[in-house]
Amino acid sequence: MAGTRDLVLDRRSASRRRRRPGRAVWLAAAGWLVINAVLIAVAGRHLPLHASELAEPPTAQKVIGTDLMYLEVFALMVVVHLLTRHRRVPDIATRAPERTRARAEVAATLGYGVAGMVGGFLLGRAFGWHAFSFHLDGMVIRTDQPVTIPETLSWALYNLIVFAVVPLIVFRRRYTSEQLSLTSSDRRADLVLIVVVLLIESAVQLAVAGSSSILGLPAHQALLGAPLTLVLGLAGTALPTMVFIYCILTPRYLKLTGSVPATVVLGGLTYATLHFFDGWTNFASPSDALVSVLYLFLFYTGPGMFKTFITIRSANAWTHLWAYHAIAPHTLLDTPMLVKIFGIR
């Protein structure tokens, strides 16, 4: 009976994916408005965060500037939709188990993720370093706080093992590479998708960052620093993100919600939460903590939503990694930081 009930629920979920996108969209829009209003009301004249690029501009200017990022996110979603509209892409919800087991696996995975975040916080602090988050302190958002080579290597190794290797080993025992969205249903189409999105995102990142990006480095530093940044970025954030959210959670979110918009929002919120201990956050007071958490979700949910969307549209977890993560933004933006940490001259 349980199997029949799950089959009926799965059919209803598939029907909802085709018919009702509205509720998740309206809830997400309402949440975005609330976050904007509370940040502007509570933060004061400047955001009380540990990064000059966040704290120096007036609060309203910084919040509105961050909101503009969503225009690019939605524009990229349109591009991905147009590039995939004629493809026969597998429904990744069918790669998840029946609903009861999917619900249990989501709960266990999220609980494990929280434990991994707390472990990273404690380990980093125990060695006198910054807390380990999904970004090394200073990645993407510069904090100008000193980061050492041992801290950098330990951060990358910890995240790779805890959020990529261990979950992959556990789930690979029960599920195939295809069920974990680690294979491509159309390599040529995926390559086109990656190249187009990567070119657009790279142009945007370089235009915004200018000389503070890899463009500001001498050629020899860029040539040595870029491969190092790519490898460490893959280990510390790109692969953990891919395995934890897009191989494991995304198909199960889609199975449980029966809604692509809801899954896209949940993927974005999960991605934002994994950056909870990023170095620019400030928990010195309740109001500072509130501002940090709200800005965390404002800043990271959009990119996480796009990563989820491109994964669903391609049924391939690798597409987001190469199109919109490992190279742009991280290699383009973080190479100067890694060049400084490793003393590349």
Side-chain angles (χ1 to χ4, degrees):
M1 292 294 293
T4 302
R5 183 172 63 252
D6 284 328
L7 180 60
V8 171
L9 289 171
D10 287 346
R11 288 175 177 171
R12 289 177 180 172
S13 295
S15 177
R16 287 201 302 272
R17 283 200 292 278
R18 292 190 296 268
R19 292 181 308 178
R20 288 198 314 165
R23 183 181 301 175
V25 173
W26 285 112
L27 286 174
W32 170 76
L33 288 173
V34 169
I35 288 175
N36 273 258
V38 175
L39 279 174
I40 293 173
V42 174
R45 294 182 61 187
H46 304 280
L47 294 171
L49 303 173
H50 296 308
S52 59
E53 65 183 270
L54 299 179
E56 288 177 359
T59 295
Q61 177 183 325
K62 194 60 195 178
V63 170
I64 293 171
T66 304
D67 289 336
L68 293 177
M69 174 185 64
Y70 284 82
L71 296 178
E72 188 215 357
V73 167
F74 295 138
L76 285 174
M77 287 183 179
V78 171
V79 170
V80 170
H81 174 76
L82 292 174
L83 289 173
T84 58
R85 68 190 186 281
H86 297 308
R87 286 182 59 178
R88 298 186 63 180
V89 180
D91 180 359
I92 64 172
T94 63
R95 297 173 174 178
E98 45 83 21
R99 291 172 59 85
T100 302
R101 184 169 186 85
R103 189 178 297 112
E105 289 180 348
V106 166
T109 301
L110 293 176
Y112 172 80
V114 171
M117 291 167 59
V118 173
F121 174 87
L122 296 175
L123 181 63
R125 295 303 192 197
F127 283 91
W129 299 329
H130 305 94
F132 290 170
S133 184
F134 259 48
H135 280 169
L136 180 67
D137 189 272
M139 271 188 163
V140 178
I141 297 176
R142 300 288 181 263
T143 63
D144 296 323
Q145 301 178 89
V147 178
T148 64
I149 294 176
E151 176 181 352
T152 302
L153 297 177
S154 299
W155 162 81
L157 186 62
Y158 179 85
N159 280 359
L160 180 65
I161 292 173
V162 171
F163 292 100
V165 175
V166 171
L168 191 59
I169 289 174
V170 170
F171 278 84
R172 193 63 181 82
R173 292 174 179 173
R174 176 177 286 270
Y175 303 102
T176 65
S177 296
E178 182 181 30
Q179 288 174 312
L180 293 173
S181 301
L182 290 169
T183 59
S184 173
S185 62
D186 189 333
R187 292 184 181 180
R188 186 172 181 273
D190 283 345
L191 179 60
V192 171
L193 188 62
I194 289 168
V195 170
V196 171
V197 173
L198 177 60
L199 287 175
I200 296 172
E201 178 64 10
S202 297
V204 171
Q205 293 291 347
L206 293 175
V208 172
S211 61
S212 64
S213 69
I214 195 172
L215 295 178
L217 293 175
H220 67 282
Q221 288 184 323
L223 290 172
L224 293 174
L228 175 66
T229 304
L230 178 62
V231 170
L232 290 173
L234 281 169
T237 185
L239 287 171
T241 297
M242 183 187 79
V243 172
F244 193 81
I245 302 177
Y246 303 109
C247 292
I248 296 172
L249 288 174
T250 297
R252 287 154 183 81
Y253 284 160
L254 191 57
K255 172 63 72 76
L256 294 175
T257 65
S259 165
V260 170
T263 300
V264 168
V265 172
L266 285 173
L269 293 174
T270 306
Y271 180 72
T273 302
L274 289 168
H275 294 80
F276 190 85
F277 293 119
D278 271 19
W280 53 265
T281 54
N282 179 10
F283 299 99
S285 70
S287 62
D288 291 348
L290 176 62
V291 169
S292 293
V293 172
L294 292 180
Y295 190 77
L296 179 93
F297 283 106
L298 183 66
F299 187 80
Y300 285 122
T301 300
M305 288 169 57
F306 177 73
K307 296 175 199 293
T308 309
F309 184 76
I310 194 174
T311 300
I312 293 172
R313 294 294 297 185
S314 64
N316 182 358
W318 290 102
T319 53
H320 100 270
L321 183 146
W322 295 117
Y324 191 81
H325 204 176
I327 298 172
H330 283 298
T331 301
L332 298 181
L333 298 187
D334 295 330
T335 296
M337 173 186 166
L338 271 296
V339 164
K340 181 179 179 180
I341 292 173
F342 283 83
I344 298 174
R345 301 186 185 280

